[in-house]
Amino acid sequence: SSELALPHPLPQMASPTTASKPIRVWTDGCFDMMHFGHANALRQAKALGAVLVVGVHSDAEIRLNKGPPVMNEAERYAAVRACQWADEVVEDAPYTTSLEVMDKYNCDFCVHGDDIVIGADGQDTYHKVKAAGRFKTIARTQGVSTTQLVNRMLALSATKDLQAAASSDSTPSAEKKLSPYTGISGFLPTTRKIVQFLDGRGLPKAEDKIVYIDGGFDLFHVGHSAILEKAKSLGTYLIVGVWDDATVKARTGGPVMNLQERLLSVLSCRFVDEVVVGAPYILSDELIRSNQVSIVTTGTVQDKSTAPEIPEDRFAVAKMLGIFQQLESPLTLTTSDILDRIKAQRKLYEERNAKKEAREIEEIKLRGY
């Protein structure tokens, strides 16, 4: 996963091709509750070569080496495939990175963040590729990890105060004692990070058919990416409106992730061309006309609402213009479903996170940080 950056030097940037063939880069992981930190790791890995091959561990491998995953393997495979920087996905990749598997997929070297990954046997899961001189380290994204997100949900499950979990100022004192790897922390992206996630996306062309869809996109998941893919199929250019934190709180009681975090998660999706940051809940004529939107759409599956229904139809303008089209959601998964999974197995996730915490604190001491 991508978490706090440690003071390790970045590898030299590789040429995307050699005289003989394009450089193929291997990276692997659990990619549980895939977030923008994972996406940023894939972005950095892809920059070191021409083709990025991503190995994703099975549920059985994760249970053996780490503990219960939140998302099942089918969901995690689909989440990685939806990331714009993943060129190929290898399912059921071994937890300890295998030179044989890397060779099977013709990969030159392995890339991973500088976080601590120990298998059930107590060994560094990258010891084989490191010994072979085929390992490169990248910096991790500060302020986010799957463990942190689970900690946020564990912290809020008793009080059901999702907004408190999105702010570092409201972190319970017990959580503040966690290691810098797993503790809850806020994240504010710089303009450079946002530009990096835009990654060459251009303005719409005159001939483009522009589609607009909006939502909270909290804990961005495969249900979100599936409806975005379907929305994109209605046209050639997809604009996604991401609601601000106040709107998400009013509608669902959230968010778990703040607006900046949700923005980067949406931008990491390969089907997205542009994002409206802090989009209005009630769609306006100005937004439609200024962005030359041809189709406004939404899915049939929505997250649980904690707010009373508003009398005003939020798509009234789009319907009046004759450009509204509702889509049958490909998946029924919602953010509330993910929260329910955490609550249903609270003790298991607390134990998993406690073990990870103890292991990482010990490693920090050994490294002298």
Side-chain angles (χ1 to χ4, degrees):
S1 63
S2 281
E3 304 173 20
L4 293 174
L6 292 176
H8 284 233
L10 287 175
Q12 292 292 318
M13 292 295 288
S15 170
T17 59
T18 65
S20 57
K21 71 174 185 66
I23 290 177
R24 292 172 61 85
V25 179
W26 173 275
T27 190
D28 56 25
C30 304
F31 302 102
D32 195 16
M33 293 176 57
M34 186 163 175
H35 49 71
F36 64 91
H38 292 133
N40 193 41
L42 298 190
R43 180 191 67 79
Q44 292 181 77
K46 174 64 180 286
L48 297 175
V51 179
L52 180 62
V53 182
V54 185
V56 184
H57 310 317
S58 68
D59 292 347
E61 282 281 85
I62 297 173
R63 289 192 188 97
L64 175 64
N65 291 278
K66 189 175 183 179
V70 179
M71 313 300 289
N72 66 48
E73 58 194 39
E75 293 167 335
R76 293 182 292 102
Y77 299 152
V80 175
R81 286 193 172 95
C83 182
Q84 61 168 310
W85 295 289
D87 296 308
E88 301 174 21
V89 174
V90 176
E91 299 180 1
D92 193 17
Y95 201 80
T96 295
T97 303
S98 163
L99 289 166
E100 291 75 19
V101 172
M102 284 177 57
D103 289 341
K104 177 181 177 180
Y105 292 95
N106 202 21
C107 292
D108 297 277
F109 53 83
C110 171
V111 174
H112 195 267
D114 47 16
D115 51 321
I116 305 145
V117 186
I118 304 296
D121 59 3
Q123 291 196 76
D124 179 352
T125 60
Y126 294 98
H127 71 278
K128 294 179 181 178
V129 289
K130 288 177 179 177
R134 294 172 62 183
F135 182 83
K136 296 191 179 188
T137 302
I138 55 174
R140 293 178 296 173
T141 305
Q142 294 187 16
V144 64
S145 71
T146 299
T147 307
Q148 288 182 355
L149 293 180
V150 172
N151 276 336
R152 294 187 196 188
M153 289 184 281
L154 289 172
L156 64 84
S157 63
T159 63
K160 298 182 181 180
D161 186 359
L162 306 185
Q163 184 63 34
S167 169
S168 59
D169 292 337
S170 59
T171 302
S173 58
E175 297 294 342
K176 290 183 178 179
K177 295 177 183 177
L178 296 172
S179 84
Y181 299 112
T182 56
I184 299 171
S185 62
F187 176 84
L188 293 174
T190 62
T191 54
R192 180 176 299 177
K193 181 61 63 186
I194 293 172
V195 169
Q196 288 173 337
F197 270 54
L198 284 170
D199 197 48
R201 290 181 173 100
L203 295 173
K205 301 178 179 65
E207 64 270 21
D208 274 326
K209 186 176 184 180
I210 300 174
V211 182
Y212 179 84
I213 188 170
D214 63 6
F217 301 103
D218 197 16
L219 296 175
F220 192 81
H221 53 72
V222 290
H224 293 138
S225 59
I227 192 63
L228 293 183
E229 180 179 15
K230 196 167 184 178
K232 178 67 174 281
S233 71
L234 298 177
T236 58
Y237 192 94
L238 181 63
I239 299 177
V240 180
V242 180
W243 301 334
D244 62 21
D245 293 344
T247 300
V248 178
K249 181 175 176 61
R251 302 311 308 166
T252 67
V256 176
M257 303 180 80
N258 65 36
L259 174 59
Q260 293 83 5
E261 294 173 314
R262 293 182 285 113
L263 164 64
L264 291 184
S265 294
V266 171
L267 281 175
S268 72
C269 182
R270 66 172 68 251
F271 311 114
V272 177
D273 296 292
E274 177 65 289
V275 173
V276 177
V277 184
Y281 184 72
I282 298 176
L283 192 59
S284 66
D285 179 79
E286 179 185 5
L287 188 150
I288 292 172
R289 295 190 187 279
S290 64
N291 290 284
Q292 300 180 311
V293 174
S294 299
I295 297 177
V296 171
T297 191
T298 191
T300 52
V301 172
Q302 304 292 329
D303 213 342
K304 297 176 184 177
S305 177
T306 59
E309 289 299 318
I310 58 173
E312 184 176 356
D313 182 352
R314 72 188 197 90
F315 296 113
V317 172
K319 291 176 180 177
M320 181 184 68
L321 293 171
I323 62 171
F324 179 77
Q325 182 174 339
Q326 188 164 51
L327 287 175
E328 185 71 30
S329 296
L331 299 174
T332 60
L333 182 68
T334 67
T335 301
S336 296
D337 293 333
I338 297 173
L339 289 166
D340 288 343
R341 292 181 187 183
I342 296 294
K343 293 174 186 178
Q345 299 191 79
R346 180 185 182 93
K347 185 175 180 180
L348 284 174
Y349 290 115
E350 286 177 334
E351 291 174 351
R352 185 189 79 166
N353 283 11
K355 289 178 182 178
K356 183 176 176 67
E357 175 77 12
R359 182 181 296 168
E360 293 186 341
I361 288 176
E362 182 61 29
E363 183 66 22
I364 290 169
K365 291 178 181 177
L366 290 174
R367 291 190 184 190
Y369 296 138

